[in-house]
Amino acid sequence: MKVYSEKEAAGPLTTLPGWQFKEGGIEKSFQFKDFVQAFGFMSQVAILAEKANHHPEWFNVYNKVNIRLSTHDAGGLTSKDFDLAQQIEALI
C-alpha cells in the first residue's frame, strides 16, 4: 500500500475542502448546531468506517467533531484515508 508524503498528498487534498495533512495523516474539524447533530454525524461516519474496515481517530466536545485519518498498518497516509474522507464529505 502506497504511503503518501505531504507533497504527494497535496493533489488529492484539493478535492477535500478543509482537510489538512498533519503528522502522516489528514485531519479536519467539523462544527454542528448542537450535540445531537454532532453525534448523528459521528454515527453516520461510524457506519462508513465499519463498512470500509477503516476507523478514524476522533474527538468530540458538544457540537464539535475532530477527525484524523491515517492507515496505521501502513504507517501513514494511504488511499484508504482519502476514500473515507471523500465519503465523510458526502455526508455534509
Side-chain angles (χ1 to χ4, degrees):
M1 197 174 319
K2 176 180 175 30
V3 175
Y4 288 74
S5 68
E6 183 172 6
K7 185 177 179 179
E8 293 169 323
L13 282 173
T14 61
T15 65
L16 295 167
W19 289 86
Q20 298 178 356
F21 184 92
K22 187 174 179 186
E23 299 174 10
I26 53 174
E27 300 181 3
K28 184 173 180 177
S29 296
F30 299 86
Q31 188 166 336
F32 299 91
K33 177 182 165 194
D34 54 28
F35 177 74
V36 172
Q37 283 188 351
F39 193 83
F41 170 73
M42 291 176 69
S43 296
Q44 291 178 304
V45 172
I47 291 167
L48 294 173
E50 190 62 21
K51 286 180 182 177
N53 193 30
H54 189 57
H55 304 92
E57 297 174 26
W58 53 13
F59 182 75
N60 164 247
V61 175
Y62 185 60
N63 67 335
K64 295 179 179 82
V65 178
N66 299 322
I67 298 179
R68 174 177 167 72
L69 300 174
S70 179
T71 307
H72 297 283
D73 55 346
L77 182 64
T78 70
S79 61
K80 290 175 76 171
D81 302 302
F82 291 117
D83 292 345
L84 185 53
Q86 287 285 356
Q87 292 177 52
I88 291 169
E89 284 299 310
L91 297 174
I92 299 300

Coordinates of all heavy atoms in Angstrom, one line a residue:
M1 N 0.8 -1.2 0.0 CA 0.0 0.0 0.0 C 0.9 1.2 0.0 O 1.8 1.4 0.8 CB -0.9 0.0 1.2 CG -2.0 0.9 1.2 SD -3.2 0.7 2.6 CE -3.3 -1.0 2.9
K2 N 0.6 2.1 -0.9 CA 1.4 3.4 -1.1 C 1.1 4.3 0.1 O 0.0 4.6 0.4 CB 1.1 4.1 -2.4 CG 1.8 5.4 -2.5 CD 1.5 6.1 -3.8 CE 2.1 7.5 -4.0 NZ 3.3 7.7 -3.3
V3 N 2.2 4.8 0.7 CA 2.1 5.8 1.8 C 2.4 7.2 1.2 O 3.5 7.3 0.5 CB 3.0 5.5 3.0 CG1 3.0 6.6 4.0 CG2 2.6 4.2 3.6
Y4 N 1.5 8.2 1.3 CA 1.7 9.5 0.7 C 2.5 10.4 1.6 O 2.3 10.5 2.8 CB 0.3 10.2 0.5 CG -0.5 9.6 -0.6 CD1 -1.1 8.3 -0.5 CD2 -0.7 10.2 -1.8 CE1 -1.9 7.8 -1.5 CE2 -1.4 9.7 -2.8 CZ -2.0 8.5 -2.6 OH -2.8 8.0 -3.6
S5 N 3.4 11.1 1.0 CA 4.2 12.2 1.7 C 3.3 13.4 1.7 O 2.2 13.5 1.0 CB 5.5 12.5 1.0 OG 5.2 13.1 -0.3
E6 N 3.7 14.4 2.4 CA 2.9 15.7 2.5 C 2.8 16.3 1.1 O 1.7 16.7 0.6 CB 3.5 16.7 3.4 CG 2.7 18.0 3.6 CD 3.2 18.9 4.6 OE1 4.3 18.6 5.2 OE2 2.6 19.9 4.9
K7 N 3.9 16.2 0.3 CA 3.9 16.8 -1.0 C 2.9 16.0 -2.0 O 2.2 16.6 -2.7 CB 5.3 16.8 -1.6 CG 5.5 17.4 -2.9 CD 6.9 17.4 -3.4 CE 7.0 18.0 -4.8 NZ 8.4 18.1 -5.2
E8 N 3.0 14.7 -1.9 CA 2.1 13.8 -2.7 C 0.7 13.9 -2.3 O -0.2 13.8 -3.2 CB 2.5 12.3 -2.6 CG 3.9 12.1 -3.1 CD 4.4 10.7 -2.8 OE1 4.2 10.2 -1.6 OE2 5.1 10.1 -3.6
A9 N 0.4 14.3 -1.1 CA -1.0 14.4 -0.6 C -1.6 15.7 -1.1 O -2.9 15.8 -1.1 CB -1.0 14.3 0.9
A10 N -0.8 16.7 -1.5 CA -1.4 18.0 -1.9 C -2.4 17.9 -3.0 O -3.4 18.6 -2.9 CB -0.2 18.9 -2.3
G11 N -2.2 17.1 -4.0 CA -3.1 16.9 -5.1 C -4.5 16.4 -4.6 O -5.5 17.0 -4.8
P12 N -4.5 15.2 -4.0 CA -5.8 14.7 -3.5 C -6.5 15.6 -2.5 O -7.7 15.6 -2.5 CB -5.4 13.3 -2.9 CG -4.1 12.9 -3.5 CD -3.4 14.2 -3.8
L13 N -5.7 16.3 -1.7 CA -6.4 17.2 -0.7 C -7.1 18.4 -1.4 O -8.0 19.0 -0.8 CB -5.3 17.8 0.2 CG -4.9 16.8 1.3 CD1 -3.7 17.3 2.1 CD2 -6.1 16.4 2.2
T14 N -6.8 18.7 -2.6 CA -7.6 19.8 -3.3 C -9.0 19.5 -3.5 O -9.8 20.4 -3.6 CB -6.9 20.1 -4.7 OG1 -7.0 19.0 -5.5 CG2 -5.5 20.6 -4.6
T15 N -9.4 18.2 -3.4 CA -10.8 17.8 -3.6 C -11.5 17.6 -2.2 O -12.6 17.2 -2.2 CB -10.9 16.5 -4.4 OG1 -10.3 15.4 -3.6 CG2 -10.3 16.6 -5.8
L16 N -10.7 17.9 -1.1 CA -11.2 17.7 0.2 C -11.2 19.0 1.0 O -10.2 19.2 1.7 CB -10.5 16.6 0.9 CG -10.6 15.2 0.4 CD1 -9.5 14.2 0.9 CD2 -12.0 14.6 0.6
P17 N -12.1 19.9 0.8 CA -12.1 21.2 1.5 C -11.9 21.1 3.0 O -12.7 20.3 3.6 CB -13.4 21.8 1.1 CG -14.2 20.9 0.3 CD -13.4 19.6 0.1
G18 N -11.0 21.8 3.5 CA -10.8 21.9 5.0 C -9.9 20.8 5.6 O -9.5 20.9 6.7
W19 N -9.6 19.7 4.8 CA -8.7 18.7 5.3 C -7.3 19.1 5.1 O -6.9 19.7 4.1 CB -9.0 17.4 4.5 CG -10.3 16.7 4.8 CD1 -11.5 17.0 4.2 CD2 -10.5 15.7 5.8 NE1 -12.4 16.2 4.8 CE2 -11.9 15.4 5.7 CE3 -9.7 15.0 6.7 CZ2 -12.5 14.4 6.5 CZ3 -10.3 14.0 7.5 CH2 -11.6 13.7 7.4
Q20 N -6.5 18.8 6.2 CA -5.1 19.2 6.1 C -4.2 18.0 6.5 O -4.5 17.2 7.3 CB -4.8 20.3 7.2 CG -5.6 21.6 6.9 CD -5.4 22.6 8.0 OE1 -4.7 22.4 9.0 NE2 -6.0 23.8 7.7
F21 N -3.0 18.0 5.8 CA -2.0 17.0 6.2 C -1.4 17.4 7.5 O -1.0 18.5 7.7 CB -1.0 17.0 5.1 CG 0.1 15.9 5.3 CD1 -0.1 14.6 4.7 CD2 1.2 16.1 6.0 CE1 0.8 13.6 4.9 CE2 2.1 15.1 6.2 CZ 2.0 13.9 5.6
K22 N -1.3 16.4 8.4 CA -0.6 16.6 9.7 C -0.1 15.3 10.2 O -0.8 14.4 10.4 CB -1.6 17.2 10.6 CG -0.9 17.7 11.9 CD -1.9 18.4 12.8 CE -1.2 18.8 14.1 NZ -2.2 19.4 15.1
E23 N 1.2 15.3 10.4 CA 1.9 14.2 11.1 C 1.5 12.8 10.4 O 1.1 11.9 11.1 CB 1.6 14.2 12.6 CG 2.1 15.4 13.3 CD 1.7 15.5 14.7 OE1 1.1 14.5 15.3 OE2 1.9 16.6 15.3
G24 N 1.6 12.7 9.1 CA 1.4 11.5 8.4 C 0.0 11.1 8.3 O -0.3 9.9 8.0
G25 N -0.9 12.0 8.4 CA -2.4 11.7 8.3 C -3.1 12.9 7.8 O -2.4 13.9 7.4
I26 N -4.4 12.9 7.7 CA -5.2 14.1 7.3 C -6.2 14.3 8.4 O -6.7 13.4 9.0 CB -5.8 13.9 5.9 CG1 -6.7 12.7 5.8 CG2 -4.8 14.1 4.8 CD1 -7.5 12.6 4.5
E27 N -6.5 15.6 8.6 CA -7.4 16.0 9.7 C -8.4 17.1 9.3 O -8.0 17.9 8.4 CB -6.6 16.5 10.9 CG -5.6 15.5 11.5 CD -4.9 16.1 12.7 OE1 -5.1 17.2 13.1 OE2 -4.0 15.4 13.2
K28 N -9.5 17.1 9.9 CA -10.5 18.1 9.7 C -11.4 18.3 10.9 O -11.7 17.3 11.6 CB -11.4 17.8 8.5 CG -12.4 19.0 8.2 CD -13.1 18.7 6.9 CE -14.1 19.9 6.6 NZ -14.8 19.8 5.4
S29 N -11.8 19.5 11.2 CA -12.7 19.8 12.3 C -14.0 20.2 11.7 O -14.1 20.9 10.7 CB -12.1 21.0 13.2 OG -10.9 20.6 13.8
F30 N -15.1 19.7 12.3 CA -16.4 19.9 11.9 C -17.2 20.6 13.1 O -17.0 20.2 14.2 CB -17.2 18.6 11.5 CG -16.5 17.9 10.4 CD1 -15.5 17.0 10.6 CD2 -17.0 18.0 9.1 CE1 -14.9 16.3 9.6 CE2 -16.4 17.4 8.0 CZ -15.4 16.5 8.3
Q31 N -18.1 21.5 12.8 CA -18.9 22.1 13.8 C -20.4 22.0 13.4 O -20.7 22.3 12.2 CB -18.5 23.6 14.0 CG -19.2 24.2 15.2 CD -18.6 25.5 15.6 OE1 -17.4 25.7 15.4 NE2 -19.4 26.3 16.3
F32 N -21.2 21.7 14.3 CA -22.6 21.5 14.1 C -23.5 22.4 15.0 O -23.0 23.1 15.9 CB -23.0 20.0 14.3 CG -22.2 19.1 13.4 CD1 -21.0 18.6 13.8 CD2 -22.7 18.8 12.1 CE1 -20.3 17.7 12.9 CE2 -22.0 18.0 11.3 CZ -20.8 17.5 11.7
K33 N -24.8 22.4 14.8 CA -25.7 23.2 15.5 C -25.7 22.9 17.0 O -25.7 23.7 17.9 CB -27.1 23.1 15.0 CG -28.2 23.8 15.7 CD -29.5 23.6 15.1 CE -30.6 24.0 16.1 NZ -31.9 23.5 15.7
D34 N -25.6 21.6 17.3 CA -25.7 21.1 18.7 C -25.1 19.7 18.8 O -24.6 19.1 17.8 CB -27.1 21.2 19.2 CG -28.1 20.4 18.4 OD1 -27.7 19.4 17.7 OD2 -29.3 20.8 18.4
F35 N -25.2 19.2 20.0 CA -24.6 17.8 20.3 C -25.3 16.7 19.5 O -24.7 15.8 19.0 CB -24.7 17.5 21.8 CG -24.2 16.1 22.1 CD1 -22.8 15.8 22.1 CD2 -25.1 15.1 22.4 CE1 -22.4 14.6 22.4 CE2 -24.6 13.8 22.7 CZ -23.3 13.6 22.7
V36 N -26.6 16.9 19.4 CA -27.4 15.8 18.7 C -27.0 15.7 17.2 O -26.8 14.6 16.7 CB -28.9 16.1 18.8 CG1 -29.7 15.1 17.9 CG2 -29.4 16.0 20.2
Q37 N -26.8 16.9 16.5 CA -26.3 16.8 15.2 C -24.9 16.3 15.1 O -24.6 15.5 14.2 CB -26.4 18.2 14.5 CG -27.7 18.6 14.1 CD -27.7 19.9 13.3 OE1 -26.8 20.6 13.2 NE2 -28.9 20.3 12.8
A38 N -24.0 16.7 16.0 CA -22.6 16.2 16.0 C -22.6 14.7 16.2 O -21.9 13.9 15.5 CB -21.8 16.9 17.1
F39 N -23.4 14.2 17.1 CA -23.5 12.7 17.4 C -24.1 12.0 16.2 O -23.6 10.9 15.9 CB -24.2 12.5 18.7 CG -24.1 11.1 19.2 CD1 -23.0 10.7 20.0 CD2 -25.0 10.1 18.9 CE1 -22.8 9.4 20.4 CE2 -24.8 8.8 19.3 CZ -23.7 8.4 20.1
G40 N -25.1 12.6 15.6 CA -25.7 11.9 14.4 C -24.6 11.8 13.3 O -24.6 10.7 12.6
F41 N -23.9 12.8 13.1 CA -22.8 12.8 12.1 C -21.8 11.7 12.5 O -21.4 10.9 11.6 CB -22.1 14.2 12.1 CG -20.8 14.2 11.3 CD1 -20.8 14.2 9.9 CD2 -19.6 14.3 11.9 CE1 -19.7 14.2 9.1 CE2 -18.4 14.4 11.2 CZ -18.4 14.3 9.8
M42 N -21.4 11.6 13.7 CA -20.4 10.6 14.1 C -21.0 9.2 13.9 O -20.3 8.3 13.5 CB -20.1 10.8 15.6 CG -19.2 12.0 15.9 SD -18.9 12.3 17.6 CE -17.8 10.9 17.9
S43 N -22.3 9.0 14.1 CA -22.9 7.7 13.9 C -22.9 7.4 12.4 O -22.6 6.2 12.0 CB -24.4 7.7 14.4 OG -24.4 7.9 15.7
Q44 N -23.1 8.3 11.5 CA -23.0 8.1 10.1 C -21.6 7.7 9.7 O -21.4 6.8 8.9 CB -23.5 9.3 9.3 CG -25.0 9.5 9.4 CD -25.4 10.8 8.7 OE1 -24.9 11.9 8.9 NE2 -26.4 10.6 7.8
V45 N -20.6 8.5 10.2 CA -19.2 8.2 9.9 C -18.8 6.8 10.4 O -18.1 6.0 9.7 CB -18.3 9.2 10.5 CG1 -16.8 8.8 10.3 CG2 -18.5 10.6 9.8
A46 N -19.3 6.4 11.6 CA -19.0 5.1 12.1 C -19.5 4.0 11.2 O -18.8 3.0 11.0 CB -19.7 5.0 13.5
I47 N -20.7 4.1 10.6 CA -21.2 3.1 9.7 C -20.3 3.0 8.4 O -19.9 1.9 8.0 CB -22.6 3.4 9.3 CG1 -23.5 3.2 10.5 CG2 -23.1 2.6 8.1 CD1 -24.9 3.8 10.4
L48 N -19.9 4.2 7.9 CA -19.0 4.2 6.7 C -17.7 3.5 7.1 O -17.1 2.7 6.3 CB -18.7 5.6 6.3 CG -19.9 6.4 5.7 CD1 -19.5 7.9 5.5 CD2 -20.4 5.8 4.4
A49 N -17.1 3.9 8.3 CA -15.8 3.4 8.7 C -15.9 1.8 8.9 O -15.0 1.1 8.5 CB -15.4 4.0 10.0
E50 N -17.0 1.4 9.5 CA -17.1 -0.1 9.7 C -17.2 -0.8 8.4 O -16.6 -1.9 8.2 CB -18.3 -0.3 10.6 CG -18.4 -1.7 11.1 CD -17.3 -2.2 12.0 OE1 -16.6 -1.4 12.6 OE2 -17.1 -3.4 12.0
K51 N -18.0 -0.3 7.4 CA -18.1 -0.9 6.1 C -16.7 -1.0 5.4 O -16.4 -1.9 4.7 CB -19.1 -0.2 5.2 CG -20.5 -0.4 5.6 CD -21.5 0.3 4.7 CE -22.9 0.1 5.1 NZ -23.8 0.9 4.3
A52 N -15.9 0.1 5.6 CA -14.6 0.1 4.9 C -13.5 -0.6 5.8 O -12.4 -0.7 5.3 CB -14.2 1.6 4.7
N53 N -13.9 -1.0 7.0 CA -12.9 -1.6 7.9 C -11.7 -0.6 8.1 O -10.6 -1.0 8.0 CB -12.5 -3.0 7.5 CG -11.7 -3.7 8.6 OD1 -12.0 -3.5 9.8 ND2 -10.8 -4.5 8.2
H54 N -12.0 0.6 8.2 CA -11.0 1.7 8.3 C -11.5 2.7 9.3 O -12.4 3.5 9.0 CB -10.7 2.3 7.0 CG -9.5 3.2 7.0 ND1 -8.3 2.8 7.4 CD2 -9.4 4.5 6.6 CE1 -7.5 3.8 7.3 NE2 -8.1 4.9 6.8
H55 N -11.0 2.8 10.5 CA -11.6 3.5 11.6 C -10.8 4.8 11.9 O -9.6 4.7 12.0 CB -11.8 2.6 12.8 CG -12.5 1.4 12.5 ND1 -11.9 0.2 12.1 CD2 -13.9 1.2 12.4 CE1 -12.9 -0.7 11.8 NE2 -14.0 -0.1 12.0
P56 N -11.5 5.9 12.1 CA -10.8 7.2 12.3 C -10.4 7.3 13.8 O -11.0 6.6 14.7 CB -11.9 8.2 12.0 CG -13.2 7.5 12.3 CD -13.0 6.1 11.9
E57 N -9.5 8.2 14.0 CA -9.3 8.7 15.3 C -10.2 10.0 15.4 O -10.2 10.8 14.5 CB -7.8 9.2 15.5 CG -6.9 8.0 15.4 CD -5.4 8.5 15.5 OE1 -5.1 9.6 16.0 OE2 -4.6 7.8 14.9
W58 N -10.9 10.1 16.5 CA -11.8 11.3 16.5 C -12.0 11.8 18.0 O -11.7 11.1 18.9 CB -13.1 11.2 15.8 CG -13.9 10.0 16.2 CD1 -13.8 9.1 17.2 CD2 -15.0 9.5 15.4 NE1 -14.8 8.2 17.1 CE2 -15.6 8.4 16.1 CE3 -15.7 10.0 14.3 CZ2 -16.7 7.7 15.6 CZ3 -16.8 9.3 13.8 CH2 -17.3 8.2 14.4
F59 N -12.4 13.0 18.1 CA -12.6 13.7 19.3 C -13.9 14.5 19.2 O -14.0 15.2 18.2 CB -11.4 14.5 19.7 CG -11.5 15.2 21.0 CD1 -11.2 14.5 22.2 CD2 -11.7 16.6 21.1 CE1 -11.3 15.1 23.4 CE2 -11.8 17.2 22.3 CZ -11.6 16.5 23.5
N60 N -14.7 14.4 20.2 CA -16.0 15.2 20.2 C -16.2 15.9 21.5 O -16.0 15.4 22.6 CB -17.1 14.2 20.0 CG -18.5 14.8 20.3 OD1 -19.1 14.4 21.3 ND2 -18.9 15.8 19.6
V61 N -16.5 17.2 21.4 CA -17.0 18.0 22.5 C -18.2 18.8 22.1 O -18.1 19.6 21.1 CB -15.9 19.0 23.0 CG1 -16.4 19.9 24.1 CG2 -14.7 18.2 23.5
Y62 N -19.3 18.5 22.7 CA -20.6 19.1 22.4 C -20.9 19.2 20.9 O -21.3 18.1 20.3 CB -20.7 20.5 23.0 CG -22.1 21.1 22.8 CD1 -23.2 20.5 23.3 CD2 -22.2 22.3 22.1 CE1 -24.5 21.1 23.1 CE2 -23.5 22.9 21.9 CZ -24.6 22.2 22.4 OH -25.8 22.8 22.1
N63 N -20.7 20.3 20.2 CA -21.1 20.4 18.8 C -19.9 20.3 17.8 O -20.0 20.5 16.7 CB -21.8 21.7 18.5 CG -21.0 22.9 18.7 OD1 -20.0 22.9 19.4 ND2 -21.4 24.0 18.0
K64 N -18.7 20.0 18.4 CA -17.5 19.9 17.5 C -17.0 18.4 17.4 O -17.0 17.7 18.4 CB -16.4 20.7 18.1 CG -16.7 22.2 18.1 CD -15.6 23.0 18.7 CE -16.0 24.5 18.7 NZ -16.8 24.9 19.8
V65 N -16.6 18.1 16.2 CA -16.0 16.7 15.9 C -14.7 17.0 15.2 O -14.7 17.6 14.1 CB -17.0 15.9 15.1 CG1 -16.4 14.5 14.8 CG2 -18.3 15.7 15.8
N66 N -13.6 16.4 15.7 CA -12.4 16.5 15.0 C -12.0 15.0 14.6 O -12.1 14.1 15.4 CB -11.2 17.0 15.9 CG -11.5 18.4 16.4 OD1 -12.0 19.2 15.7 ND2 -11.2 18.6 17.7
I67 N -11.7 14.9 13.3 CA -11.4 13.6 12.7 C -10.0 13.6 12.2 O -9.6 14.5 11.5 CB -12.4 13.2 11.6 CG1 -13.8 13.2 12.1 CG2 -12.0 11.9 10.9 CD1 -14.9 12.8 11.1
R68 N -9.3 12.5 12.5 CA -7.9 12.3 11.9 C -8.0 10.9 11.2 O -8.4 9.9 11.8 CB -6.9 12.3 13.0 CG -5.5 11.9 12.5 CD -4.5 12.0 13.7 NE -3.3 11.4 13.3 CZ -2.4 11.8 12.4 NH1 -2.6 13.0 11.8 NH2 -1.3 11.2 12.1
L69 N -7.5 10.9 10.0 CA -7.4 9.6 9.3 C -5.9 9.3 8.9 O -5.2 10.1 8.5 CB -8.2 9.7 7.9 CG -9.7 10.0 8.1 CD1 -10.3 10.2 6.7 CD2 -10.3 8.9 8.8
S70 N -5.5 8.1 9.2 CA -4.2 7.6 8.9 C -4.3 6.0 8.9 O -5.1 5.5 9.7 CB -3.2 8.0 10.0 OG -1.9 7.5 9.7
T71 N -3.6 5.4 8.0 CA -3.6 3.9 7.9 C -2.5 3.4 8.8 O -1.3 3.4 8.4 CB -3.5 3.5 6.5 OG1 -4.5 4.2 5.7 CG2 -3.7 2.0 6.4
H72 N -2.8 3.0 10.0 CA -1.8 2.6 11.0 C -1.0 1.4 10.5 O 0.2 1.4 10.7 CB -2.5 2.3 12.3 CG -3.1 3.5 12.9 ND1 -2.4 4.5 13.5 CD2 -4.4 3.9 12.9 CE1 -3.2 5.4 13.9 NE2 -4.5 5.1 13.6
D73 N -1.6 0.4 9.9 CA -0.9 -0.8 9.5 C 0.1 -0.5 8.3 O 1.0 -1.2 8.1 CB -1.8 -2.0 9.2 CG -2.8 -1.7 8.2 OD1 -3.1 -0.6 7.8 OD2 -3.4 -2.7 7.7
A74 N -0.1 0.6 7.6 CA 0.8 1.0 6.6 C 1.8 2.1 7.0 O 2.7 2.4 6.3 CB 0.0 1.6 5.4
G75 N 1.5 2.6 8.2 CA 2.5 3.6 8.8 C 2.3 5.0 8.3 O 3.3 5.8 8.3
G76 N 1.1 5.3 7.8 CA 0.9 6.7 7.3 C -0.3 6.8 6.4 O -1.3 6.0 6.5
L77 N -0.3 7.9 5.6 CA -1.5 8.2 4.8 C -1.5 7.4 3.5 O -0.6 7.3 2.8 CB -1.4 9.7 4.5 CG -2.5 10.4 3.7 CD1 -3.8 10.4 4.4 CD2 -2.1 11.8 3.3
T78 N -2.7 6.8 3.3 CA -2.9 6.0 2.1 C -4.2 6.3 1.4 O -5.0 7.2 1.9 CB -2.9 4.4 2.4 OG1 -4.2 4.2 3.1 CG2 -1.7 4.0 3.3
S79 N -4.4 5.7 0.3 CA -5.7 5.9 -0.5 C -6.9 5.6 0.4 O -8.0 6.2 0.2 CB -5.7 5.1 -1.8 OG -5.6 3.7 -1.5
K80 N -6.8 4.7 1.3 CA -7.9 4.4 2.2 C -8.4 5.6 3.0 O -9.6 5.8 3.2 CB -7.5 3.2 3.2 CG -7.4 1.9 2.6 CD -6.9 0.9 3.5 CE -8.0 0.4 4.5 NZ -7.6 -0.7 5.3
D81 N -7.4 6.4 3.3 CA -7.8 7.6 4.1 C -8.5 8.6 3.2 O -9.5 9.2 3.6 CB -6.5 8.3 4.7 CG -5.8 7.3 5.6 OD1 -6.4 6.8 6.5 OD2 -4.6 6.9 5.3
F82 N -8.0 8.8 2.0 CA -8.6 9.7 1.0 C -10.0 9.2 0.7 O -11.0 10.0 0.6 CB -7.8 9.9 -0.2 CG -6.5 10.7 0.0 CD1 -5.3 10.0 -0.2 CD2 -6.5 12.0 0.4 CE1 -4.1 10.7 0.0 CE2 -5.4 12.7 0.6 CZ -4.1 12.0 0.4
D83 N -10.2 7.9 0.5 CA -11.5 7.4 0.2 C -12.5 7.6 1.3 O -13.6 8.0 1.0 CB -11.4 5.8 -0.1 CG -10.6 5.5 -1.4 OD1 -10.4 6.4 -2.2 OD2 -10.2 4.3 -1.5
L84 N -12.1 7.4 2.5 CA -13.0 7.6 3.7 C -13.3 9.1 3.8 O -14.4 9.4 4.1 CB -12.5 7.0 4.9 CG -13.4 7.0 6.2 CD1 -14.8 6.5 5.9 CD2 -12.7 6.4 7.4
A85 N -12.3 9.9 3.6 CA -12.5 11.4 3.7 C -13.6 11.8 2.7 O -14.4 12.6 3.0 CB -11.2 12.1 3.6
Q86 N -13.5 11.3 1.5 CA -14.5 11.6 0.4 C -15.9 11.2 0.9 O -16.8 12.0 0.6 CB -14.1 10.9 -0.9 CG -12.9 11.5 -1.6 CD -13.2 12.9 -2.3 OE1 -14.3 13.3 -2.3 NE2 -12.2 13.5 -2.8
Q87 N -16.0 10.0 1.5 CA -17.3 9.6 1.9 C -17.8 10.4 3.0 O -19.0 10.7 3.1 CB -17.2 8.1 2.4 CG -16.9 7.2 1.2 CD -16.8 5.7 1.7 OE1 -17.6 5.2 2.4 NE2 -15.7 5.1 1.3
I88 N -16.9 10.9 3.9 CA -17.3 11.7 5.0 C -17.8 13.1 4.5 O -18.9 13.6 4.9 CB -16.2 11.9 6.0 CG1 -15.9 10.6 6.8 CG2 -16.5 13.1 7.0 CD1 -14.6 10.6 7.6
E89 N -17.1 13.6 3.5 CA -17.5 14.9 2.9 C -18.9 14.8 2.2 O -19.7 15.7 2.3 CB -16.5 15.3 1.9 CG -15.2 15.9 2.5 CD -15.5 17.1 3.3 OE1 -16.2 18.1 2.8 OE2 -15.0 17.2 4.5
A90 N -19.2 13.6 1.7 CA -20.5 13.4 1.0 C -21.7 13.5 2.1 O -22.8 13.8 1.7 CB -20.5 12.1 0.3
L91 N -21.4 13.3 3.3 CA -22.4 13.4 4.4 C -22.8 14.8 4.7 O -23.9 15.1 5.2 CB -21.9 12.7 5.7 CG -21.6 11.2 5.6 CD1 -21.0 10.8 7.0 CD2 -22.9 10.4 5.3
I92 N -21.9 15.8 4.4 CA -22.1 17.2 4.8 C -23.0 17.9 3.9 O -23.1 17.7 2.7 CB -20.7 17.9 4.9 CG1 -19.8 17.2 6.0 CG2 -20.9 19.4 5.2 CD1 -20.4 17.2 7.4

